[in-house]
Amino acid sequence: MNYQTTVSVEEDLKKSKIKKKTKVFDQKPTSAFIGASWSTLLIGMVSYCIGLWNADMMQNEKGYYFTILLFGLFSVISVQKAVRDKMEDIPVTPIYYSISWFTTIASIVLLVIGLWNADLLLSEKGFYGMSFLLSLFSAIAVQKNTRDVQYIDRQLEDEK
């Protein structure tokens, strides 16, 4: 039998209050992670663009692939912003959230379709695909780091 005394009830209440306390996010990303995120973003974008510059394809094809890169970068930053806004209880309309995800998926699908139909070596197709995905992932990390630093700086200003 589990009989509760007033002391044990008070202790349980204290424990439940401690458990319900939410952990405050208070650690900035390290400068090494911020630097690595920016470096990989630049490496991915620059290598993709150098590959396009040196490619033996018509200008309209180069323009297509360059536009897909810009479209993809903007889309993933938009997704990251929408997800982060939701986490911070900043209102995000469902249509904006859905469009952000749709455009991100669309940019990847458009690149895949373009590479599938391109008259390129398989190694070139892989190069474009990998540098594109590296750029997208790095853009998300850079945006996340920027928001983390901004959030913590705002919290520190509010405490003063």
Side-chain angles (χ1 to χ4, degrees):
M1 288 189 202
N2 188 9
Y3 292 108
Q4 300 257 332
T5 64
T6 54
V7 174
S8 64
V9 170
E10 289 174 9
E11 287 176 9
D12 288 344
L13 286 174
K14 286 180 186 177
K15 287 179 184 177
S16 67
K17 286 181 183 178
I18 292 172
K19 288 180 184 176
K20 290 182 182 179
K21 185 178 178 182
T22 58
K23 181 175 176 1
V24 176
F25 179 73
D26 60 352
Q27 292 186 347
K28 285 186 180 182
T30 63
S31 57
F33 185 65
I34 292 171
S37 300
W38 276 102
S39 297
T40 56
L41 177 61
L42 291 174
I43 289 168
M45 288 174 53
V46 169
S47 62
Y48 187 92
C49 291
I50 289 172
L52 280 180
W53 184 266
N54 293 323
D56 187 27
M57 60 177 77
M58 294 178 15
Q59 293 291 10
N60 63 340
E61 289 178 276
K62 290 181 181 184
Y64 172 80
Y65 288 114
F66 183 70
T67 303
I68 293 298
L69 175 66
L70 296 179
F71 180 51
L73 290 172
F74 182 79
S75 296
V76 295
I77 289 171
S78 190
V79 166
Q80 202 285 331
K81 180 196 180 322
V83 168
R84 186 60 179 261
D85 285 352
K86 281 182 148 189
M87 273 180 49
E88 294 177 7
D89 293 328
I90 298 171
V92 177
T93 61
I95 190 74
Y96 179 78
Y97 185 72
S98 300
I99 288 172
S100 298
W101 273 108
F102 174 76
T103 57
T104 297
I105 294 166
S107 70
I108 295 168
V109 168
L110 287 170
L111 180 76
V112 169
I113 290 170
L115 291 176
W116 186 275
N117 294 311
D119 191 24
L120 299 171
L121 296 173
L122 193 55
S123 60
E124 289 177 296
K125 291 178 181 184
F127 166 78
Y128 287 116
M130 292 307 294
S131 59
F132 180 77
L133 291 176
L134 174 66
S135 298
L136 295 188
F137 179 78
S138 300
I140 292 169
V142 166
Q143 173 68 7
K144 180 193 175 309
N145 291 339
T146 303
R147 286 291 293 263
D148 287 349
V149 169
Q150 183 185 50
Y151 177 81
I152 292 168
D153 288 346
R154 202 172 339 142
Q155 294 301 321
L156 293 174
E157 286 178 11
D158 290 346
E159 289 177 5
K160 289 181 182 179

